[in-house]
Amino acid sequence: MPSSPPRPAMEHRRRQQPPAPSAPAYLAATLAFLTLAAVAYSRVAFPSFPHPLATRGCRPDAEGSWSAGVFRGDSPFSLKPIEHWGISSGPGAAWPVANPVVTCADVAKVGFPSSFVANPFLFIQGDSIYMFFETKNPISSQGDIAAAVSKDAGTTWQQLGVVLDEEWHLSYPYVFSYGNETYMMPESSKKGILKLYRAVDFPLKWELEKVLLERPLVDSVIIYFKGSYWLLGSDLSSYGAKQTGDLFIWYSSSPLGPWNRHKQNPILNTGNRPSARNGGRPFIYNDNLYRIGKIRGGGSGYTIQIFKVQFLTADQYKEVAVPFVLDKPLKNRNAWNGARSHHLDVQQLPLSQHWIGVMDGDRVLSGDSIHRLTVGCMFYGAACILVLLLGGLIGAIKCTLPLKWYLPHTEKRSDTFDIEKQVLLCHKFSWLICNVNRLGSLIGGKINYRAWKDRVYIAVIILILVVLTFLGTNYIFGGNGAEEPYPIRGRYSQFTLLTMTYDARFWNLKMFVEHYSKCASVREIVVVWNKGRAPVQGELNSMVPVRIRVENKNTLNNRFKIDKEIKTGAVMELDDDIMMTCDDLERGFKVWREHPDRIVGYYPRLAEGSPLEYRNERYARQQGGYNIILTGAAFMDHELAFKRYWSKEAEIGRQIVDSFFNCEDVLLNFLFANASSASTVEYVKPAWAIDMSKFSGVAISRNTQAHYHVRSKCLAMFSGIFGNLTSKRSFNSRGDGWDV
């Protein structure tokens, strides 16, 4: 039988496996791609990173991001956060002032690096209220004592900086007066003693007065009760004391000592359980002595508990826990004290029936930053393993290691047992490497990256790689996961979220309320119900109060109806079908607080030409500016805006709105422009925004061309009544990078 002719060399080469890329080139290309993916993700996910608090020298550390807030009430058991009292402060448009009132950023701003503030104590002197607190220096990793002063009953605070700095850690600055002197007894347990300092230039300069006790006490306080001075503190030096927080008591006829040990030390509560550590200054209310303690709450650290002291004598002590309820923050990480609190100081204001309290709080649990770093590194590690696996599958990386690396050494040993152990260990290593090499030979080159079927596998693996990279980037560089508010001049505030809807859009409303009620600065959500059966409270899942305002007439003018029940200066008008991040809302709120006389929003438009023609955002960007902000997503001063809208001069404009069932936001822009010769609009670019009406099919303006035509008609009519709009405002003119 004749032999078959040899195959052409060209055909033979075509059927050969395509050469795999080299390992260095593969690794370089893969890592470069993942790096670009991480950078792109961080730009989209963290548009305001780093947060302004971080850029001002305030970086929360592994112990948390503690800050301090002020509370007021008719009694120490009816305290409410300061924002509930509706107290306003003109500078920074803080209407109302909201907690927290002191943060690490405030301390850093006056030249003292700080990573958190905690353990605040109040000291009232005349019309001034002083706050002393621990501030941790991130450079020395040491606690110092800082102070602030308020001249308006705790509404605003002026930072005085660090007032006591030693070579060791200081905290828990309990301040009291005795005779004509003012004393401070901070925790200095690192030195193993309890020291007392006296003010020589209150509140800025202190000097050591004496050592009260030769014990490493923490959370110590002194209280005068029934003719004696009582010192209460916890000694954590004994075995297991850090878990139990054993409470000890001493008594004396003077706060300067000498101190006598209580016979029941350490103090036990009901059931022979250790008593809770001090969590603030004891107080007297209705002739009863109450002690503030802090108890462990599982993973959340400590929580505040009030104890009523039933007996306190030289040989007897008994206390019972009493109900103490503060408004529990429901916004979790988006609330400044959403995770934990462990300190409270309450005092009665002079010549007043009101009480003031100051509490510390943290939005994250202890060790949160370490946890996020660990999880992020795990995601990055998984991505690296997957990169190596993919390299082996396509043949770019050879998964073989030489066995000679793991042969036993032949040097002489005096100890035969050591030689046997080394041989056994090398044998186990050799077995492991043999199995790794066997696995490498099994997977090596199994995927042909030029075949379409195998390219699908590669695409899936690359997608998993990108997801792992995004997750790792989010955990490591995404901060603590909170969408925090932005302070103005160190002050925080709140706003009311207002939306107008009807029964066919109830699906949108449920998502709207559940999402936006978590935002840090949202005080209340007002739903203007224009048509159909109004929802009841139980149908909406919200973390803030929701008020349903049912209207008798279905008109767009209801959006700006004067509402005296609104408790904030700012109102965020937001359509219920627009979803954006809480950080976008917080950035817009910050810009409005800087320009409270303007309409600040997220959707710019341009009206120009003769006659005026309504143009979209793309056209506005091409022309380099805008002069209209849509009020379907905009901040405004509700008293200013609503009064202008419902003025007699605007009556004909409201009639035009009703006739077209459109243009209410255009009318408001004209009314603002008519009242000022300067710019009246400000644009904030959202990181992302989704129009949910595209999914629900209940959009009011489905025909864009017809919608714009009606708005151009409105422009022509309004310009004839109210004059022209303000001149075009350029993008990227504010300098904060949020209006590009």
Side-chain angles (χ1 to χ4, degrees):
M1 184 175 180
S3 59
S4 59
R7 296 178 180 178
M10 181 64 69
E11 181 181 351
H12 178 68
R13 283 196 298 269
R14 285 175 182 169
R15 295 189 180 185
Q16 286 182 340
Q17 179 80 1
S22 65
Y26 164 76
L27 291 175
T30 306
L31 294 178
F33 169 74
L34 294 179
T35 301
L36 289 174
V39 171
Y41 172 77
S42 63
R43 294 288 294 176
V44 174
F46 322 127
S48 58
F49 183 83
H51 193 276
L53 294 186
T55 61
R56 288 162 57 184
C58 175
R59 288 188 176 274
D61 63 7
E63 295 186 60
S65 55
W66 294 92
S67 52
V70 169
F71 296 73
R72 289 187 180 182
D74 297 328
S75 78
F77 296 96
S78 62
L79 297 175
K80 296 288 185 182
I82 191 171
E83 54 264 26
H84 283 260
W85 289 79
I87 303 172
S88 299
S89 174
W95 312 323
V97 173
N99 282 325
V101 296
V102 175
T103 67
C104 52
D106 300 325
V107 181
K109 189 176 180 180
V110 294
F112 297 90
S114 175
S115 57
F116 68 74
V117 298
N119 298 320
F121 280 99
L122 299 176
F123 185 80
I124 301 176
Q125 189 178 77
D127 295 333
S128 299
I129 302 178
Y130 293 89
M131 184 192 302
F132 295 87
F133 51 89
E134 172 194 355
T135 173
K136 184 176 180 181
N137 188 322
I139 300 175
S140 63
S141 297
Q142 175 181 293
D144 301 321
I145 305 303
V149 60
S150 174
K151 302 288 187 178
D152 50 12
T155 302
T156 58
W157 296 84
Q158 175 189 350
Q159 294 300 314
L160 303 177
V162 172
V163 298
L164 184 60
D165 181 9
E166 296 283 15
E167 296 180 357
W168 54 87
H169 177 82
L170 297 174
S171 64
Y172 210 81
Y174 179 72
V175 179
F176 65 95
S177 60
Y178 176 66
N180 295 322
E181 303 289 350
T182 303
Y183 297 92
M184 180 193 298
M185 186 177 64
E187 175 197 326
S188 52
S189 59
K190 295 294 184 182
K191 296 292 290 183
I193 55 179
L194 181 63
K195 293 186 174 185
L196 183 69
Y197 294 80
R198 178 174 55 86
V200 293
D201 181 16
F202 182 86
L204 302 177
K205 188 175 181 181
W206 303 76
E207 66 178 19
L208 179 64
E209 177 72 11
K210 64 181 303 184
V211 174
L212 293 180
L213 289 173
E214 297 280 348
R215 299 194 67 157
L217 294 184
V218 299
D219 305 338
S220 302
V221 295
I222 295 176
I223 183 72
Y224 180 76
F225 186 66
K226 292 185 177 180
S228 297
Y229 288 90
W230 305 88
L231 192 156
L232 297 81
S234 294
D235 186 348
L236 305 185
S237 60
S238 60
Y239 177 77
K242 287 189 176 181
Q243 298 297 324
T244 61
D246 294 341
L247 181 68
F248 289 78
I249 299 178
W250 288 263
Y251 61 92
S252 174
S253 59
S254 166
L256 305 181
W259 293 96
N260 304 299
R261 180 186 175 93
H262 196 278
K263 292 185 178 180
Q264 285 187 221
N265 284 344
I267 304 299
L268 300 177
N269 261 332
T270 305
N272 288 330
R273 291 176 301 175
S275 184
R277 290 171 57 178
N278 288 323
R281 181 195 313 266
F283 62 90
I284 297 175
Y285 178 66
N286 289 339
D287 297 326
N288 292 312
L289 177 62
Y290 294 89
R291 186 178 73 88
I292 302 176
K294 53 185 175 184
I295 57 176
R296 286 191 176 272
S300 63
Y302 289 100
T303 57
I304 299 297
Q305 177 65 63
I306 304 296
F307 298 91
K308 181 179 179 180
V309 178
Q310 295 179 317
F311 299 101
L312 178 55
T313 64
D315 54 6
Q316 188 178 12
Y317 181 84
K318 185 179 180 181
E319 63 180 18
V320 293
V322 296
F324 178 73
V325 180
L326 286 175
D327 289 342
K328 184 178 180 180
L330 301 176
K331 299 182 181 181
N332 300 323
R333 290 176 182 249
N334 286 353
W336 68 276
N337 58 342
R340 51 182 176 160
S341 296
H342 73 352
H343 184 96
L344 171 68
D345 185 27
V346 294
Q347 293 193 42
Q348 188 170 9
L349 292 171
L351 305 177
S352 172
Q353 297 299 317
H354 291 92
W355 289 68
I356 184 172
V358 59
M359 177 184 288
D360 63 9
D362 194 359
R363 64 178 71 250
V364 297
L365 302 179
S366 178
D368 178 79
S369 60
I370 296 177
H371 168 74
R372 296 185 67 83
L373 177 62
T374 302
V375 175
C377 289
M378 290 174 62
F379 280 118
Y380 279 158
C384 291
I385 293 174
L386 198 56
V387 167
L388 296 177
L389 178 62
L390 178 60
L393 288 171
I394 65 176
I397 298 177
K398 305 297 182 183
C399 299
T400 57
L401 294 174
L403 288 176
K404 63 181 181 180
W405 291 1
Y406 301 95
L407 294 177
H409 296 289
T410 57
E411 289 88 345
K412 293 183 179 180
R413 300 284 183 178
S414 58
D415 192 342
T416 306
F417 182 71
D418 288 342
I419 297 176
E420 291 177 354
K421 286 199 301 181
Q422 184 185 18
V423 171
L424 179 62
L425 182 62
C426 289
H427 174 72
K428 291 182 178 180
F429 271 122
S430 300
W431 176 85
L432 177 62
I433 297 306
C434 284
N435 283 275
V436 171
N437 290 343
R438 187 178 297 114
L439 177 63
S441 63
L442 289 175
I443 68 173
K446 291 297 182 181
I447 292 181
N448 180 1
Y449 64 90
R450 292 188 179 181
W452 282 105
K453 182 179 178 181
D454 290 348
R455 286 181 180 180
V456 174
Y457 298 144
I458 295 175
V460 171
I461 295 176
I462 291 177
L463 179 62
I464 297 174
L465 275 173
V466 171
V467 172
L468 291 174
T469 302
F470 284 178
L471 291 172
T473 303
N474 183 72
Y475 270 92
I476 295 178
F477 301 103
N480 55 27
E483 294 177 285
E484 303 180 35
Y486 294 81
I488 299 291
R489 299 182 182 90
R491 298 179 179 89
Y492 294 87
S493 189
Q494 294 181 327
F495 62 88
T496 299
L497 197 62
L498 189 148
T499 188
M500 186 171 64
T501 189
Y502 60 101
D503 53 356
R505 299 162 67 93
F506 183 63
W507 179 76
N508 285 343
L509 180 65
K510 291 180 68 174
M511 290 193 302
F512 177 96
V513 170
E514 184 172 0
H515 172 67
Y516 289 116
S517 66
K518 300 174 184 177
C519 299
S521 299
V522 174
R523 167 72 177 275
E524 180 188 29
I525 297 177
V526 176
V527 179
V528 179
W529 196 262
N530 263 6
K531 185 176 68 174
R533 185 190 72 85
V536 296
Q537 292 296 120
E539 295 181 273
L540 299 173
N541 182 19
S542 176
M543 297 184 179
V544 299
V546 177
R547 178 162 57 92
I548 310 295
R549 199 180 79 200
V550 180
E551 300 293 347
N552 297 323
K553 181 182 178 182
N554 183 17
T555 170
L556 296 180
N557 293 320
N558 290 334
R559 180 190 293 274
F560 306 119
K561 190 174 181 179
I562 295 175
D563 189 341
K564 294 183 179 180
E565 294 186 40
I566 294 177
K567 302 178 179 66
T568 63
V571 161
M572 169 62 168
E573 295 270 2
L574 186 60
D575 289 346
D576 63 348
D577 52 14
I578 295 178
M579 300 297 289
M580 61 179 70
T581 66
C582 287
D583 184 67
D584 285 330
L585 260 65
E586 298 295 349
R587 291 188 293 122
F589 186 39
K590 177 181 183 293
V591 174
W592 177 83
R593 291 181 63 192
E594 294 171 333
H595 308 281
D597 58 338
R598 302 180 185 180
I599 302 174
V600 177
Y602 303 85
Y603 294 96
R605 298 291 186 264
L606 179 62
E608 67 173 8
S610 182
L612 290 175
E613 188 172 353
Y614 186 82
R615 299 286 194 168
N616 61 17
E617 180 177 347
R618 170 184 272 185
Y619 181 85
R621 290 188 176 278
Q622 291 173 351
Q623 300 303 312
Y626 59 96
N627 53 9
I628 292 178
I629 288 293
L630 299 188
T631 59
F635 285 93
M636 62 196 70
D637 181 336
H638 75 95
E639 291 188 357
L640 179 67
F642 295 0
K643 285 181 180 179
R644 286 178 179 174
Y645 194 88
W646 287 92
S647 64
K648 186 176 181 180
E649 293 78 6
E651 183 176 0
I652 187 171
R654 297 194 299 272
Q655 294 173 359
I656 295 173
V657 170
D658 281 335
S659 65
F660 286 116
F661 205 76
N662 202 328
C663 304
E664 81 285 0
D665 48 358
V666 178
L667 173 58
L668 188 66
N669 276 266
F670 268 97
L671 295 174
F672 267 73
N674 193 38
S676 174
S677 58
S679 177
T680 58
V681 290
E682 290 289 343
Y683 165 64
V684 178
K685 182 180 181 180
W688 56 263
I690 301 176
D691 185 355
M692 300 301 295
S693 66
K694 306 297 184 184
F695 305 98
S696 61
V698 291
I700 295 176
S701 308
R702 298 183 183 180
N703 189 328
T704 302
Q705 185 175 358
H707 176 63
Y708 277 41
H709 179 69
V710 171
R711 291 191 158 232
S712 294
K713 285 185 177 181
C714 292
L715 286 171
M717 299 175 73
F718 290 155
S719 61
I721 301 171
F722 304 106
N724 210 338
L725 290 166
T726 55
S727 57
K728 183 170 59 180
R729 180 163 179 78
S730 300
F731 290 98
N732 200 22
S733 60
R734 213 170 38 241
D736 56 15
W738 293 347
D739 61 343
V740 294

